[in-house]
């Protein structure tokens, strides 16, 4: 479906639902992306979305920072 470029600045606003989603009667509250972004930022990350109308949406969640911890004779990645 894609997200219209004019709606992109609003997709992280609580309760925002795009015109195409509303017209298609897709159920939801418009809280998903707002909550996801808040959680990502609370954890020190970011959340971004790339979309093409008529194409795909790509949601880029933050990746955890890997840290190495030496345990015994080996190294573990967390």
């Amino acid at each position: 479906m894609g997200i219209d470029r004019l709606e992109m600045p609003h997709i992280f606003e609580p309760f925002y639902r795009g015109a195409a989603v509303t017209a298609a009667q897709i159920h939801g509250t418009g809280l998903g992306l707002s909550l996801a972004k808040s959680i990502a930022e609370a954890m020190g990350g970011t959340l971004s979305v790339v979309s093409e109308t008529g194409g795909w949406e790509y949601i880029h969640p933050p990746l955890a920072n890997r840290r190495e911890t030496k345990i015994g004779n080996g190294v573990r990645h967390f």
Side-chain angles (χ1 to χ4, degrees):
M1 178 182 279
I3 301 169
D4 187 284
R5 66 179 178 81
L6 297 175
E7 294 179 345
M8 287 296 286
H10 306 286
I11 64 171
F12 291 110
E13 294 174 8
F15 302 106
Y16 181 79
R17 300 191 70 225
V21 172
T22 304
Q25 297 183 357
I26 297 172
H27 299 285
T29 61
L31 288 173
L33 287 176
S34 174
L35 288 172
K37 185 175 182 186
S38 294
I39 292 168
E41 289 175 350
M43 295 171 52
T46 60
L47 185 68
S48 62
V49 175
V50 176
S51 179
E52 298 176 16
T53 302
W56 295 90
E57 294 94 26
Y58 301 96
I59 298 176
H60 301 281
L63 298 176
N65 290 333
R66 292 182 66 176
R67 63 176 199 257
E68 292 183 358
T69 303
K70 196 163 196 151
I71 299 176
N73 295 329
V75 174
R76 290 207 159 163
H77 297 275
F78 297 97

